[in-house]
Amino acid sequence: MTFSYDPTQIRKYGKDQMRFELGDTSVEGGATTCALSDEEYTAMLEGIAHGKRAWLGAKLNILEAILLKLSYQVNTKIDVLTYGLGDRAEHWKALYEMLRKEWLANSCVPSMADSAARKHPYFHTDMMPNRRAQLAGQKGNAFPFHNMGD
């Protein structure tokens, strides 16, 4: 397994941007400092569409994987030496809950495609004017359909 992070690549969709957004950038220690390996990030990001909703969904899936991985780590105290490994999971859990609320808020509001938003509206003011009534009004006839035979 490899653990790498290139900060110059955070503007491109991929593992480096995801590592940056999740704060999983301390790759010097390998598996002891990173939540997931490069291969795990790449596998989770493979095939996602470009877009905010797809990226947010992928981020939630990765956070779930991180939480499942860290759930087995516990706090340990040996004499005066203490390992607070459970505290590490609390940060990821708080981030997951925040993103989950954002995901739910975005998923319940319908949105239209950008291509549809650029089209002219189907209904508009004066869409179906009664031309006959307008002509009759110009002639002074108050009831344009009274004498339909004319």
Side-chain angles (χ1 to χ4, degrees):
M1 290 196 295
T2 58
F3 299 90
S4 64
Y5 170 67
D6 184 5
T8 62
Q9 300 296 317
I10 62 173
R11 303 290 274 162
K12 297 179 183 176
Y13 280 100
K15 69 166 183 65
D16 293 312
Q17 183 181 14
M18 188 60 78
R19 276 193 189 276
F20 175 74
E21 290 183 11
L22 294 176
D24 189 21
T25 57
S26 299
V27 294
E28 301 83 23
T32 58
T33 58
C34 287
L36 297 175
S37 68
D38 291 349
E39 292 82 7
E40 290 168 321
Y41 275 110
T42 304
M44 296 287 283
L45 293 173
E46 190 172 304
I48 68 160
H50 289 279
K52 186 176 181 179
R53 286 180 65 151
W55 186 256
L56 185 60
K59 194 186 292 189
L60 279 172
N61 289 337
I62 289 172
L63 278 171
E64 284 177 4
I66 290 171
L67 286 172
L68 286 172
K69 189 174 184 179
L70 295 179
S71 66
Y72 296 104
Q73 297 179 351
V74 295
N75 295 336
T76 306
K77 183 174 182 179
I78 303 169
D79 200 17
V80 293
L81 181 65
T82 303
Y83 293 107
L85 300 176
D87 297 338
R88 185 177 171 193
E90 291 302 317
H91 164 73
W92 296 101
K93 188 172 182 173
L95 182 60
Y96 175 79
E97 290 301 323
M98 182 185 73
L99 289 175
R100 186 170 170 270
K101 287 178 185 175
E102 184 180 341
W103 170 260
L104 290 173
N106 287 335
S107 64
C108 67
V109 176
S111 62
M112 92 171 53
D114 292 335
S115 60
R118 288 189 290 266
K119 291 182 181 178
H120 293 290
Y122 182 77
F123 296 105
H124 55 84
T125 305
D126 201 29
M127 184 172 133
M128 297 174 58
N130 187 341
R131 302 285 180 214
R132 193 171 197 183
Q134 290 174 348
L135 292 173
Q138 291 172 358
K139 293 179 183 176
N141 188 353
F143 300 101
F145 300 110
H146 190 267
N147 297 326
M148 302 227 14
D150 294 341

